[in-house]
Amino acid sequence: MVDEGVVLQHTSRIAVTLRENTAELTAELIERYERDIPPLRDDERMMALLSSSVFQNLETAMSILEHSIDIEETEAPAAANEYARRLAQRGVSVVDLIRAYHIGQTAVVERLLAEAERQIEDRATVTAVMRHLVDMSFGYIYRVTKQVVTAYEDERDRWLRGRSAVRAARVRAVLDGDGVDVDAGQAALGYRLRGTHLGLVAWQAERPEPQDALAGLERLAAAVAEAAGCTGPPLFVPCDEASAWVWLPLAEPALPAREVFERAVADTGGGIRVAVGEPGRELAGFRRTHRQALRVQALGLAAGPECDPVMCFAEVGSVALMVSDIDSARAWVADTLGALATDDAHHARLRETLRVFLAEGSSYTAAAARLVMHKNSVQYRVRKAEELLGRDIAANRLDLEVALALCRWLGSAVLPTG
């Protein structure tokens, strides 16, 4: 076994040797970052700060190795923390920052191991020194990346809160104010107010960490905008730690296909819900589509866990207007549907079959095709539903369809509790 003192002596000499080439290694790493991590390529001030961060990290790491400094007492260099904060302000992903540290670690460890091979002849000593160098490098990177990531996240939170508060105030002024200067509003928001808009309200129903929630919602908005062929980036305004208002600048006045929203929700992760308004033009349309999305969100919140991931005003507009008084809606559903309003899986299947049958113009064939079931099964379920109603389904048909729609979108929230 190699004596620890011998290992530390060799480590110190290797660190001194590498310290002499710190400037050269810094330049090499900067060139590597520019090539392999495009988001880190920026203006001269940012590149100068990156260079200072790399140089100070190398100096700190070599000092630790030279003097056997306890890594737990190490603080990330000032330039490293400041660089992390600047990346947060510019919206560069923290993943790119972490990747840069791992690239730097790999390059430095290669240099350290090569120097150990060059300076030491005894194989057992070489192995012991190499093991010590690798352990120290991982310990240093782990501690420093934790600190710079914390600096990044703190600054990102502060920056987003400040920027979001200003943006939210400007958006509210556009929504509520009279005599809005459209040109000034566009300049302040960085979003065109002329043209066609689609309003969304997105929220995280299964709450993760707050930062993760908003980041996921922002990714969702960007994905929908790209898939819908929008003319520019979406306007994204956080409402709280887990919900946001979004406007999409549509190229066409038509609502994008439902699959666009469903795919974006699925790709972003579980627990996200999206309420979608109808496309609207100019400032009036900007306001109207947002009000519609808010009404749809109210419906989704009333539905609770049974809420569909994607709900569009075109589908649920009339139902959404009824959720302001959920108790009255529940009583009305019970009066309208009678025993068909029983809250269990069997009666839910009967209600859904009857709803589709009526929506398809009372066609058993069309309903069977839509429900992917046999025509005779549709006939049986419609007959059973009619028996539970206690009246002909043609009687008071409008109320019946509205009540079934409420059950479709709100489920247990509008069904009698006992």
Side-chain angles (χ1 to χ4, degrees), residues 255-299:
L255 183 69
R258 183 181 182 84
E259 290 75 15
V260 168
F261 303 100
E262 292 175 340
R263 186 165 52 251
V265 169
D267 290 346
T268 305
I272 288 180
R273 304 288 185 266
V274 182
V276 185
E278 284 279 271
R281 287 190 55 76
E282 307 299 326
L283 185 58
F286 180 89
R287 292 166 171 167
R288 185 174 61 257
T289 188
H290 175 64
R291 289 195 300 268
Q292 291 169 344
L294 288 176
R295 288 176 190 151
V296 176
Q297 184 198 26
L299 174 69

Side-chain angles (χ1 to χ4, degrees), residues 122-183:
D122 180 67
R123 297 313 302 170
T125 304
V126 169
T127 300
V129 171
M130 284 183 170
R131 185 179 295 113
H132 179 67
L133 290 170
V134 170
D135 287 346
M136 292 292 285
S137 72
F138 273 99
Y140 178 77
I141 290 298
Y142 176 74
R143 180 167 177 81
V144 170
T145 52
K146 273 203 335 184
Q147 293 178 25
V148 297
V149 166
T150 297
Y152 175 99
E153 291 176 342
D154 288 347
E155 181 62 19
R156 179 73 171 161
D157 287 347
R158 186 194 69 79
W159 187 258
L160 284 177
R161 281 196 302 270
R163 187 179 65 178
S164 297
V166 171
R167 176 172 284 185
R170 288 170 174 164
V171 165
R172 291 181 189 280
V174 170
L175 291 172
D176 302 332
D178 295 324
V180 173
D181 185 327
V182 173
D183 291 329

Side-chain angles (χ1 to χ4, degrees), residues 46-63:
M46 283 296 288
M47 294 308 296
L49 185 56
L50 173 59
S51 181
S52 295
S53 172
V54 172
F55 187 88
Q56 289 182 17
N57 266 306
L58 291 172
E59 284 282 302
T60 302
M62 293 309 113
S63 293

